[in-house]
Amino acid sequence: MASSHSSSPVPQSNSSDAFFKKETDATKRFRPVQSLPDVCPKEPTGDPHNLCDSPSLVADQHRWTIYHSKVNLPAALNDPRLAKRESDFFTKTWGVDFVDTEVTPSFYLPQITKEHFALYQQEIALREKVHERCKNISTPQDTFDGTLLHTHDKSRTDLEQVPKIFMKPDFALEDSLTFNAVLPWSHFSTAGGKGNRDAASSKLLQEKLSHYLDIVEVNIAHQISLRSEAFFHAMTSQHELQDYLRKTSQAVKLLREKIAQIDKVMCEGSLRVLRLSLTRNNCIKVYNKLKLMATVHQTQPTVQLLLSTSEFVGALDLIATTQEVLQQELQGIHSFRHLGSQLCELEKLIDKMMIAEFSTYARNDLNRPLEDDCQILEEERLVSLVFGLLKQRKLNFYEIYGDEMIITAKNIIKQCVVNTVSQIEEIDTEVVVKLADQMRMMNFPQWFDLLKDIFSKFTIFLKRIKATLNTIRSVVFLVLDKNQKNRDLEDTLQKNSKDSTVDTEVAYLTHEGMFISDAFSEGDLPPVAADTTSQRNTSPNSEPCSSDSVSEPECTTDSSSSKEQTSSSVTPGAVEMMISDDMKLTDLELVRLANNIQELLYNASDICHDRSVKFLMARAKDGFLEKLNSSEFVTLSRLMEGFILETEQICGRKSMSLRGALQSQANRFVNRFHEERKTKLSLLLDNERWKQAEVPAEFQDLVDSVSDGRISLPEKKPAATEERKPAEFLIVEGQKYATVGTVLLLIRIILEYCQCVDNIPSITTDMLTRLSDLLKYFNSRSCQLVLGAGALQVVGLKTITTKNLALSSRCLQLIVHYIPIIRAHFEARLQPKQYSMLRHFDHITKDYHDHVAEISAKLVAIMDSLFDKLLSKYEVKAPVPSACFRNICKQMAKMHEAIYDLLPEEQTQMLFLRINASYKLHLKRQLAHLNVVNDGGPLNGLVTSDVAFYTGNLQALKGLNNLDLNMAEIWEQKR
């Protein structure tokens, strides 16, 4: 063995030359130490052919170990990046930066000085003296060395005569160049009579080669003589070495026999048990693999069976599980090479089937009879379809439902029209073929009932859509909630895995350095692998299932449950579904889908409104809606408003199309409503004779209904047995108003405007503008007819009397009384940003007050002209009272008689005070003209008597007895 070189007792020579045989370097004498061969028995790996019973020295002696690795230190230290070689060793080896680097002294190495070597020098001094003495004694050795050196130089000189080509390590005569160099062809040429010279050359070459051979042999002999002692020593110890080798071989043989017995007794049985256990485990794995293959083989029939019952989710889960099993556990099996592509095609077919099934479901759900039933049609089927579509990422399936909604909305209107037309005998469907023409032949009650039926059907239609879409959204939110729970669970597991370590047990080590372990915890395996291992691998100690029980539940592997864990969720309709974990939908996609489904509900409301608008426009082509009276239009408006509010309550968002159509029709209605009443008012004013009219009881009731500030038209009371007589005055909050018939009707018209605003809130602003226009028109037109004397030509009045003027003033005051009430009524129905429109009432009130003031001024002007005419002829003379004053008192009495019953007492007094002021002004002017002064003379006495007569007559009039006339102002004040 290799260790015998240093341990074998080799005999040393006793000759004087023994000290010349000093052992040379061990690396030159002996071969590099080889690593021990691996004699450990091989562990079982599952393959019986790989097991070895004994070690192999032949196979293992050349195995490479780390001891064979070598390194060239200069090559490792040399820096190839330097452009030139530096003279200094360190900069040459480690670069120019090495010089600039200062190495910090180590704190762990002490500072060494010469004092540290003093003790050593004392101990070695004696030995050094002995050494020097021995060097002087050994002179023969130096002589022998000189001789030996001379002999060596001579041998080297002889060897230099031998050509270098013979010394090359690659010397070979087979090479043509080498052969020509050693034996030139020119020495063997026989041409041209040069044979004798060539023969001599050849002989000379032969002698030269022989000389070279002698030199080499002499040197070889010389080298052998130099090492003869070592050669004879090797020959002497050869026999002893052979004895050692023989004993070693016998010991190795005995050791192998013992090892073989130990292997047979202690190891062979255990290894056989391990081998059989591994074989059993392999058989179990093969059996389970075959069971899995049998289960996968049944995938297509099972999918067909699930599809026959519309179990799309189960079919997709089974396909996904089978695909994963094929990729992970059955990869490379030749019999299943086409199954993956077949399952992909089957999955595409399921996608098409689900789309078609969902389209059929939507059609059946929306086209079932529209009764008062909003239950979801086949909720479990719907939930299954939605889960399947989500699993396949068919996120635009709601568009199919939207298309069906549009078609169904059209059919609902068409069916309602057909049903209504079939019940009306006046419409001949054979003559009038088109449904639109048949619909236009209906009167308002028939058409109104049809519209009400359409709205009711649309309401049920929207409720059904909402219920269905809510179910779909709940499924989407269930998937979203499941995703969030899974994400939270993963975060928790990651946190727990960081806090705890998992210990794994290594079963045994194989010759390839790999581990075989059945003790790995499932936490160290990937999720799918762990789940698969726990469900499909049978423990080595368990009994395998029999081959004839593959179809039994306890012996087969459930492919749909082996792939993933499923969670049970219950939809709002109490439908329990299994939400799989492989729905790879992001939260953003699910939220967007939920928003799109909610938007689809809004679209459903818009569709119903749009179809209703088209239905209205089809009926309004011949101006039918514009011809409706107020009550009919209000009824229609209330119906449409109710439908709009109900759809907004169902869908949660306003739809503007029907509201816009209603607003458009309302604007047309407002225009027609206003034009009719303005025309009516114009006709009434043109025929008004401006005489006091009696007030019917119904008008008094109308005014009384407004007395509490709430404007509403009273309901018509049934005709009583005793009719109430009309009153002379209109009583408003305790005040008497003498009016004309036009004003009574105007009040009713104003209340109709206010009532229309209550019925149709959307036309409030338009009605306010139109009512303002109506009030302005009445003011301006009445001014033209009375103050402007237009009634003389229009009606044919002979003159405009003071009674006409007073009556007109009182009518204007009655309208002014109601303007604040009207303003408050509109203000309560306007938006805050629309309050600026109320300024129209302020302008109208000012215009009416100005008009009343102009009428009062007109009455004063009438008396002023009378005073000017009469007093300009006044003469101070007897008799007393004079004729002038009697005429003035007579005209004043007529004026009082005309206006006292029409105007309130306060207004009458104010009017007569103004007339009296005009009278005093004219009298004062006339007295100044006649030079009559307040001197107590006869003329003064006559004037005083006339004035007393005037004062007495004026104060004798009803309601003027306390009037302060202050007649002293007629006299000029003395300066």
Side-chain angles (χ1 to χ4, degrees), residues 687-705:
N687 293 285
E688 181 60 56
R689 302 189 66 86
W690 297 101
K691 292 183 178 180
Q692 183 179 358
E694 293 182 342
V695 180
E698 59 178 293
F699 283 96
Q700 185 61 53
D701 295 339
L702 182 65
V703 171
D704 293 340
S705 66

Side-chain angles (χ1 to χ4, degrees), residues 779-810:
N779 185 40
S780 60
R781 186 60 179 163
S782 62
C783 182
Q784 293 172 4
L785 292 174
V786 180
L787 281 178
L792 300 179
Q793 291 80 19
V794 176
V795 185
L797 296 179
K798 294 180 180 181
T799 182
I800 301 298
T801 63
T802 55
K803 192 167 187 177
N804 298 138
L805 291 172
L807 187 59
S808 174
S809 175
R810 194 56 175 162

Side-chain angles (χ1 to χ4, degrees), residues 863-874 884 922:
M863 296 305 295
D864 185 76
S865 62
L866 178 64
F867 293 149
D868 184 48
K869 180 181 179 181
L870 293 177
L871 290 176
S872 62
K873 300 177 182 180
Y874 174 64
C884 177
H922 286 281

Side-chain angles (χ1 to χ4, degrees), residues 483-500:
N483 286 351
Q484 294 176 350
K485 289 182 179 179
N486 288 341
R487 190 160 51 249
D488 296 340
L489 181 60
E490 290 176 0
D491 295 340
T492 304
L493 291 177
Q494 289 180 359
K495 184 178 180 181
N496 293 337
S497 64
K498 291 179 181 179
D499 296 339
S500 61

Side-chain angles (χ1 to χ4, degrees), residues 713-917:
L713 293 174
E715 297 180 359
K716 292 184 178 180
K717 297 179 180 179
T721 55
E722 229 178 85
E723 293 187 358
R724 293 183 294 172
K725 293 181 180 181
E728 185 178 0
F729 296 96
L730 183 66
I731 308 300
V732 180
E733 296 182 359
Q735 292 189 15
K736 293 181 179 180
Y737 284 90
T739 62
V740 295
T742 301
V743 174
L744 292 175
L745 293 175
L746 176 60
I747 292 174
R748 184 176 184 86
I749 291 173
I750 291 174
L751 296 183
E752 287 178 353
Y753 273 83
C754 297
Q755 186 68 34
C756 194
V757 168
D758 287 338
N759 296 330
I760 312 174
S762 60
I763 62 174
T764 301
T765 55
D766 290 337
M767 277 296 184
L768 189 150
T769 305
R770 300 301 194 281
L771 181 57
S772 301
D773 180 67
L774 185 72
L775 293 175
K776 290 178 181 179
Y777 176 77
F778 172 76
N779 185 40
S780 60
R781 186 60 179 163
S782 62
C783 182
Q784 293 172 4
L785 292 174
V786 180
L787 281 178
L792 300 179
Q793 291 80 19
V794 176
V795 185
L797 296 179
K798 294 180 180 181
T799 182
I800 301 298
T801 63
T802 55
K803 192 167 187 177
N804 298 138
L805 291 172
L807 187 59
S808 174
S809 175
R810 194 56 175 162
C811 290
L812 291 173
Q813 293 174 20
L814 178 60
I815 301 301
V816 169
H817 172 79
Y818 281 106
I819 287 179
I821 300 175
I822 299 170
R823 176 193 172 102
H825 181 80
F826 277 91
E827 184 177 3
R829 287 152 184 82
L830 286 175
Q831 299 294 331
K833 61 183 179 181
Q834 298 172 337
Y835 285 166
S836 59
M837 300 184 67
L838 298 173
R839 68 180 184 277
H840 293 298
F841 293 111
D842 299 333
H843 297 160
I844 293 171
T845 303
K846 181 178 180 301
D847 293 340
Y848 272 66
H849 283 304
D850 293 343
H851 191 181
V852 172
E854 289 177 5
I855 293 176
S856 299
K858 183 65 176 179
L859 291 174
V860 174
I862 291 173
M863 296 305 295
D864 185 76
S865 62
L866 178 64
F867 293 149
D868 184 48
K869 180 181 179 181
L870 293 177
L871 290 176
S872 62
K873 300 177 182 180
Y874 174 64
E875 294 181 358
V876 182
K877 63 180 180 179
V880 177
S882 62
C884 177
F885 272 77
R886 282 197 298 268
N887 287 333
I888 289 174
C889 290
K890 182 179 179 181
Q891 294 298 329
M892 295 284 281
K894 287 183 179 180
M895 169 68 76
H896 181 270
E897 182 182 0
I899 68 174
Y900 181 77
D901 293 334
L902 301 179
L903 298 178
E905 185 175 346
E906 295 80 4
Q907 293 185 22
T908 303
Q909 292 177 359
M910 292 300 298
L911 181 61
F912 273 90
L913 283 175
R914 293 177 62 186
I915 293 173
N916 181 62

Side-chain angles (χ1 to χ4, degrees), residues 488-765:
D488 296 340
L489 181 60
E490 290 176 0
D491 295 340
T492 304
L493 291 177
Q494 289 180 359
K495 184 178 180 181
N496 293 337
S497 64
K498 291 179 181 179
D499 296 339
S500 61
T501 58
V502 181
D503 296 332
T504 57
E505 241 178 83
V506 180
Y508 29 77
L509 182 66
T510 67
H511 70 287
E512 296 177 351
M514 299 176 62
F515 293 97
I516 298 178
S517 176
D518 292 333
F520 284 117
S521 63
E522 292 184 4
D524 293 336
L525 297 177
V528 176
D531 190 45
T532 305
T533 304
S534 62
Q535 295 191 25
R536 296 193 177 95
N537 290 345
T538 309
S539 62
N541 298 327
S542 62
E543 293 296 330
C545 299
S546 60
S547 60
D548 59 348
S549 60
V550 174
S551 61
E552 293 298 324
E554 61 273 7
C555 295
T556 58
T557 302
D558 187 2
S559 60
S560 62
S561 63
S562 64
K563 173 181 175 285
E564 60 199 10
Q565 295 178 350
T566 56
S567 303
S568 177
S569 301
V570 181
T571 63
V575 180
E576 186 172 342
M577 293 297 298
M578 305 300 287
I579 307 177
S580 59
D581 291 338
D582 65 341
M583 286 192 180
K584 303 302 182 183
L585 294 173
T586 62
D587 292 351
L588 181 61
E589 290 175 334
L590 293 172
V591 172
R592 187 183 296 117
L593 177 59
N595 294 336
N596 290 336
I597 294 172
Q598 183 63 35
E599 191 67 27
L600 186 61
L601 180 60
Y602 301 152
N603 293 340
S605 176
D606 294 339
I607 290 170
C608 294
H609 283 214
D610 292 342
R611 302 311 306 178
S612 300
V613 168
K614 290 184 178 181
F615 178 77
L616 289 174
M617 294 300 103
R619 188 66 182 92
K621 280 186 177 180
D622 55 354
F624 172 76
L625 298 180
E626 298 178 4
K627 297 176 184 178
L628 298 179
N629 57 37
S630 300
S631 60
E632 290 175 343
F633 188 83
V634 167
T635 305
L636 175 62
S637 176
R638 286 179 176 176
L639 176 64
M640 295 174 66
E641 285 285 351
F643 176 69
I644 291 172
L645 293 177
E646 193 168 5
T647 54
E648 289 177 359
Q649 184 178 5
I650 294 173
C651 301
R653 192 179 73 172
K654 293 183 178 180
S655 297
M656 302 308 298
S657 57
L658 185 58
R659 192 182 297 274
L662 176 60
Q663 185 64 39
S664 176
Q665 292 298 325
N667 292 338
R668 296 177 184 175
F669 168 76
V670 168
N671 290 334
R672 183 181 57 80
F673 180 88
H674 177 65
E675 291 300 328
E676 287 180 355
R677 278 144 186 81
K678 189 174 181 180
T679 303
K680 181 179 180 180
L681 179 61
S682 178
L683 292 176
L684 289 173
L685 288 172
D686 290 343
N687 293 285
E688 181 60 56
R689 302 189 66 86
W690 297 101
K691 292 183 178 180
Q692 183 179 358
E694 293 182 342
V695 180
E698 59 178 293
F699 283 96
Q700 185 61 53
D701 295 339
L702 182 65
V703 171
D704 293 340
S705 66
V706 189
S707 60
D708 57 353
R710 182 175 55 86
I711 299 178
S712 62
L713 293 174
E715 297 180 359
K716 292 184 178 180
K717 297 179 180 179
T721 55
E722 229 178 85
E723 293 187 358
R724 293 183 294 172
K725 293 181 180 181
E728 185 178 0
F729 296 96
L730 183 66
I731 308 300
V732 180
E733 296 182 359
Q735 292 189 15
K736 293 181 179 180
Y737 284 90
T739 62
V740 295
T742 301
V743 174
L744 292 175
L745 293 175
L746 176 60
I747 292 174
R748 184 176 184 86
I749 291 173
I750 291 174
L751 296 183
E752 287 178 353
Y753 273 83
C754 297
Q755 186 68 34
C756 194
V757 168
D758 287 338
N759 296 330
I760 312 174
S762 60
I763 62 174
T764 301
T765 55

